[in-house]
Amino acid sequence: MEQSSLGLIGLAVMGENLALNIERHGFSVSVYNRTAERTRQLVEGRARGKRIRPTYDIREFVESLERPRRIFLMVQAGRPVDEVLAQLRPHLAAGDIVMDGGNSFFKDTDRRSAELAEAGIQYFGVGVSGGEAGALNGPCIMPGGPREAYPLIEPILTSIAAQTPDGPCCAYIGPRSAGHYVKMVHNGCEYAIMQLIAEAYDLLRSACRLSVPQLAELFAEWNRGELNSYLIEITAKVLERVDEETGQPLVDLILDQAGQKGTGKWTSQDALDLGVVIPNIDAALWGRNISALKGERVAAAKLLTGPDLPAEALDSGFVATMREALYAGMVISYAQAMALLRTASREYAYDLDLAEIARIWKGGCIIRARLLDLIQAAFRRDPSLANLLVAPECAAILARTQASLRRAVQAAVGLGIPVPGLGAALAYFDSYRRERLPVNLIQAQRDFFGAHTYQRIDRPGTFHTEWE
Ligand code: 6PG
């Protein structure tokens, strides 16, 4: 029997759709899944008549592949990846390539790369974004691993990726865990933008008294302008949806408790380790975490009061204010994500090309947005740009929109509507643009109680004062 171009392990939603995508682009695929039933369902169902070959044990799977073997793992991040690798390893030979397409923690990817490299196996941590539809029709793919082996997987990855006028949404990211790191930060940025959108929805609803159908129309309209992005687009669609049973907007029936699988949290944890400030991602995380305290919030709502919402809705001009505030918040969130990538690139020796990352994020992934054109241009012009906020195109956007961001935050504060994302964006912007921050006082306090010393602005050296 002819050997397959590629093997794929793990036939949950993402794996199944990715296998179909790969086959559709002219590559034969062998598939293997821990439970044989799932494999059978696929080959008797959606894969019928396609060059997708079912295999039912790991050895048969590996032997069905062309050499060097190219194997995509689409299994759950964490221990399942180690388990599959342990099963695979005795059957692999030097030169074979294994790609982990899940949301693995980047330090796990570093460990696995090093372990497999000892046997000459080329390991890639591949960020894949775009959900189920992306996997089938073209995701954004962020592969990291040994550069010399990349040409062996590049034709497959670039052909199955989303395509834009600016090329396929796949590019070599960097060595070792670079691909998974960039995917992790992508997810952190995804959290930040979702939080901002949720706050805009809340304010427009509570303060402007817009109905859900009006909001659906508004987001659809916003998606036709500078806010154009996948997350704004799906927000409009979510708001449009009516529950068939009750006739109410479905969004109103969804429990306000958000889940998470870890990538956003890892982003904040690593940013803290690297000393990079990403308050919008942090705010999105605590926004989700506090939402999880549903029972406590229900009880607190009866005891803790805030300002009453005014009888009159805010004037209609506030809708345009909100659009600009949201845009400013989005720019600031991307700036934080890019700043984290910039530091991580240096710290972990990834040698990231930030313009290229912005380019591949323009299609297929969850944070694709028109704004990425500007971000790509800014980093292409100046690859060592310290912060996106000081790129002329972003500085101009913030000069134009910051008054709206301030007005939105002021309105929310006055009304008692929590806006951790918008507030974080504004505080980040105001801190970053401020020549002098009040930490001179903090330095003095540290020196007061702990003799931590300080530096002076008028002469070099390290100083300590006997404060009492
Ligand atoms: C994507 C997504 C996806 C991710 C979730 C995050 O790029 O397709 O980022 O990979 O797993 O969207 O999920 P949680 O919100 O559950 O953490």
Side-chain angles (χ1 to χ4, degrees), residues 1 47 49 94 140 168 193 197 272 364 398 405:
M1 203 186 216
C140 168
I193 294 168
I197 294 175
L272 281 175
L398 287 157
L405 180 56

Side-chain angles (χ1 to χ4, degrees), residues 102-165:
N103 279 325
S104 288
F105 182 49
F106 74 100
K107 290 189 179 168
D108 287 340
T109 303
D110 281 330
R111 171 179 53 79
R112 291 168 187 146
S113 307
E115 284 167 8
L116 291 164
E118 284 171 21
I121 296 160
Q122 319 255 33
Y123 193 67
F124 280 82
V126 183
V128 179
S129 176
E132 187 179 342
L136 182 64
N137 302 316
C140 168
I141 307 181
M142 295 155 255
R147 191 185 250 298
E148 61 286 4
Y150 184 60
L152 294 166
I153 52 173
E154 184 177 14
I156 301 183
L157 298 186
T158 50
S159 67
I160 64 167
Q163 308 292 322
T164 69

Side-chain angles (χ1 to χ4, degrees), residues 103 128-131 183 186-187 190-191 259-263 288 366:
N103 279 325
V128 179
S129 176
K183 175 67 194 335
H186 163 286
N187 283 18
E190 165 187 310
Y191 279 41
Q260 55 180 303
K261 289 189 218 72
T263 44
R288 289 191 190 196
I366 306 295

Side-chain angles (χ1 to χ4, degrees), residues 9 32 34 58 73 75-92 98 100 104 108 111-112 115-116 123:
I9 300 181
Y32 173 76
R34 191 168 43 90
I58 268 287
L73 305 186
V75 300
Q76 211 189 327
R79 195 190 298 196
V81 177
D82 288 311
E83 285 167 2
V84 172
L85 288 173
Q87 286 180 315
L88 264 178
R89 197 170 163 159
H91 305 287
L92 298 178
V98 178
D100 171 13
S104 288
D108 287 340
R111 171 179 53 79
R112 291 168 187 146
E115 284 167 8
L116 291 164
Y123 193 67

